[in-house]
């Protein structure tokens, strides 16, 4: 519905009721109900003190025919009626059934319906506010009770296991690594200003870990972590955590895990190189073994052929034609078959 002079359009209420009224239910979709709902809604939004330059001055005439009535509603109150709704509204505001709407009767009933609707809306607002207050009070009581139970559950006397300690340190260490690598730009991390306080209760400490580092720790993990951080967590029986002590421990834990990662990476690299060397050595051994097998695979004819070739070479041997090296290549105490074959070929 558009705003026009004299109307105070409550947008929030309009969204809630979607143009419907409390005193007239238009959900029936009958022309009488929908048309009357539009007029009642406009009447409830009407402020006589803010009628503008024209306001309801157009309704000065004594009687209005249906078309005039429809046009005045549209221009003055931004009410658009369908033909069926117009027919029903003329009948509603024309008790004499003469086909005309008496202006004085219409305005009297218009303001009366508006007043009743305003009272209904005000009552609805009050009841809604009461319900909201009651709901918030219930939620707050539940939060308080839950917080009290949690406070009682996290005490220095809470028992924890070594697994709880390891789990807490691992979670905190991973968070410290992320924080040290990218500081507060890590997605989800908040500022660490909350840890600047002198002392933190266990529950406050857990809430800060969750808010600042997105850490979800159990009660036993919290107590185990406090036991690891504090010099003497049972000194005063409160299990308080000093903020500065925690930050020092937090960063130290991150550096330690970072160094462990570097050492582990170096060890893994050495293992990889060693595995590669072993693999290459095995390949060479396999190749040598295959060559030895090939050398053992010979016949008597191969032997006779080799000896004949050697005799022919010996017969053509000329010491002066070998150069300064001559036969020194064969001066070694022993040669592998491969080396022996190469020397024969070269010399």
């Amino acid at each position: 519905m558009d705003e026009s002079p004299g109307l105070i359009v409550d947008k929030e209420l309009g969204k809630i009721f979607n143009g419907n009224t409390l005193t007239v239910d238009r959900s029936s979709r009958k022309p009488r109900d929908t048309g009357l709902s539009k007029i009642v809604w406009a009447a409830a939004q009407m402020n006589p003190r803010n009628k503008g330059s024209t306001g309801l001055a157009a309704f000065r005439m004594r009687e209005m025919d249906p078309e005039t009535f429809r046009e005045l509603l549209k221009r003055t109150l931004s009410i658009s009626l369908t033909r069926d709704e117009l027919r029903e509204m003329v009948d509603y505001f024309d008790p004499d059934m003469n086909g005309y709407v008496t202006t004085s009767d219409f305005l009297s009933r218009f303001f009366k319906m508006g007043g009743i609707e305003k009272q209904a809306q005000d009552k609805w607002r009050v009841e809604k506010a009461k319900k909201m207050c009651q709901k918030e009070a219930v939620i707050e009581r539940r939060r308080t009770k839950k917080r009290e139970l949690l406070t009682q559950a996290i005490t220095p006397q809470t028992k924890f296991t070594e697994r709880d300690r390891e789990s807490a340190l691992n979670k905190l260490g991973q968070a410290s690594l992320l924080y040290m690598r990218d500081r507060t730009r890590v997605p989800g991390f908040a500022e660490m200003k909350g840890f600047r306080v002198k002392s933190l209760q266990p529950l406050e400490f857990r809430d800060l870990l969750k808010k600042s580092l997105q850490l979800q720790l159990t009660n036993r993990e919290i107590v185990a972590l406090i036991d690891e951080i504090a010099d003497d967590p049972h000194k005063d029986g409160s299990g308080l955590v000093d903020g500065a002590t925690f930050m020092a421990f937090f960063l130290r834990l991150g550096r330690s895990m970072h160094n462990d990662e570097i050492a582990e990476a170096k060890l893994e690299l050495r293992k990889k190189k060693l595995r590669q060397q072993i693999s290459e050595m095995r390949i060479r051994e396999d190749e040598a073994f295959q060559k030895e097998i090939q050398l053992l695979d010979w016949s008597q004819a191969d032997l006779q052929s080799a000896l004949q070739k050697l005799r022919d070479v010996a017969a053509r041997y000329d010491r002066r034609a070998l150069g300064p090296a001559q036969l020194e290549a064969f001066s070694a105490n022993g040669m592998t078959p491969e080396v022996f074959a190469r020397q024969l070929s070269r010399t």
Side-chain angles (χ1 to χ4, degrees):
M1 184 179 295
D2 299 331
E3 187 174 358
S4 62
L7 292 183
I8 301 176
V9 180
D10 190 335
K11 295 182 180 180
E12 183 178 356
L13 197 63
K15 291 179 181 179
I16 295 173
F17 293 118
N18 193 24
N20 200 4
T21 53
L22 296 175
T23 54
V24 180
D25 186 9
R26 69 172 188 178
S27 61
S28 64
R29 297 185 179 181
K30 295 179 180 179
R32 179 185 179 88
D33 294 335
T34 56
L36 191 58
S37 177
K38 293 177 181 179
I39 294 176
V40 171
W41 178 265
Q45 304 300 311
M46 174 63 68
N47 183 1
R49 299 178 183 178
N50 187 30
K51 294 188 294 184
S53 57
T54 57
L56 298 177
F59 290 93
R60 291 176 180 175
M61 62 186 68
R62 185 171 180 274
E63 291 181 335
M64 298 173 286
D65 58 55
E67 287 302 322
T68 302
F69 180 54
R70 180 182 185 181
E71 189 65 23
L72 285 178
L73 288 177
K74 184 176 182 180
R75 289 184 179 182
T76 308
L77 301 173
S78 299
I79 299 175
S80 297
L81 299 178
T82 65
R83 292 198 174 276
D84 292 337
E85 290 173 344
L86 177 62
R87 184 174 60 254
E88 293 291 339
M89 291 303 97
V90 170
D91 292 343
Y92 184 83
F93 290 105
D94 179 23
D96 299 333
M97 302 299 291
N98 59 2
Y100 288 87
V101 177
T102 304
T103 304
S104 59
D105 291 342
F106 166 74
L107 291 178
S108 176
R109 299 179 71 176
F110 176 79
F111 287 116
K112 184 177 180 180
M113 290 187 299
I116 296 173
E117 178 65 23
K118 283 182 180 179
Q119 291 178 358
Q121 291 181 3
D122 291 341
K123 183 179 179 181
W124 178 87
R125 287 191 181 94
V126 172
E127 291 178 352
K128 182 183 178 183
K130 286 182 179 179
K131 290 180 180 179
M132 289 295 295
C133 291
Q134 292 173 356
K135 185 177 180 180
E136 291 176 357
V138 171
I139 294 174
E140 185 60 30
R141 285 197 297 270
R142 289 177 180 175
R143 287 177 179 172
T144 303
K145 186 176 181 180
K146 183 178 180 181
R147 196 170 187 85
E148 290 175 352
L149 292 174
L150 288 174
T151 304
Q152 296 172 3
I154 305 178
T155 64
Q157 290 75 32
T158 302
K159 301 296 182 181
F160 62 89
T161 63
E162 192 61 30
R163 179 176 294 181
D164 296 324
R165 183 192 299 271
E166 292 176 359
S167 175
L169 290 176
N170 182 61
K171 291 179 182 179
L172 186 64
Q174 294 299 328
S176 180
L177 278 176
L178 289 175
Y179 180 80
M180 292 175 64
R181 286 170 181 167
D182 207 7
R183 294 295 175 182
T184 54
R185 289 177 292 176
V186 177
F189 278 16
E191 293 288 343
M192 303 291 285
K193 296 179 181 179
F195 294 101
R196 294 179 181 177
V197 296
K198 178 64 177 175
S199 60
L200 293 166
Q201 293 287 347
L203 187 60
E204 295 174 332
F205 180 55
R206 192 185 74 168
D207 291 343
L208 268 178
L209 289 176
K210 182 178 180 181
K211 178 182 177 181
S212 302
L213 301 174
Q214 303 296 305
L215 279 183
Q216 297 281 357
L217 299 179
T218 64
N219 293 346
R220 296 195 302 182
E221 288 175 341
I222 285 291
V223 177
L225 191 58
I226 294 174
D227 183 77
E228 186 72 21
I229 295 172
D231 296 332
D232 186 4
H234 303 283
K235 180 173 60 178
D236 57 0
S238 62
L240 297 178
V241 180
D242 181 75
T245 303
F246 166 74
M247 285 302 300
F249 178 84
F250 176 70
L251 297 176
R252 186 168 62 251
L253 182 62
R255 285 193 295 269
S256 176
M257 293 191 70
H258 179 63
N259 294 334
D260 291 343
E261 284 187 348
I262 294 176
E264 186 176 352
K266 290 181 178 179
L267 179 61
E268 189 61 32
L269 181 60
R270 288 197 295 269
K271 288 181 179 179
K272 183 178 179 181
K273 289 182 178 179
L274 182 60
R275 286 194 294 266
Q276 186 176 358
Q277 291 174 358
I278 293 174
S279 177
E280 292 174 353
M281 185 182 298
R282 287 177 177 174
I283 292 174
R284 289 196 297 269
E285 289 177 351
D286 291 342
E287 291 177 350
F289 180 71
Q290 292 298 328
K291 290 179 180 179
E292 289 180 3
I293 292 177
Q294 292 176 1
L295 291 173
L296 294 175
D297 186 16
W298 54 272
S299 63
Q300 192 66 27
D302 295 328
L303 177 60
Q304 294 299 327
S305 175
L307 291 174
Q308 184 60 45
K309 290 179 180 179
L310 191 59
R311 291 191 194 100
D312 294 341
V313 171
R316 295 193 303 270
Y317 172 69
D318 184 358
R319 184 176 182 181
R320 291 172 295 180
L322 291 177
Q326 297 186 7
L327 297 177
E328 290 184 3
F330 297 97
S331 61
N333 292 330
M335 289 181 287
T336 62
E338 294 86 355
V339 175
F340 180 58
R342 280 200 303 270
Q343 295 300 340
L344 287 175
S345 177
R346 291 178 181 178
T347 309

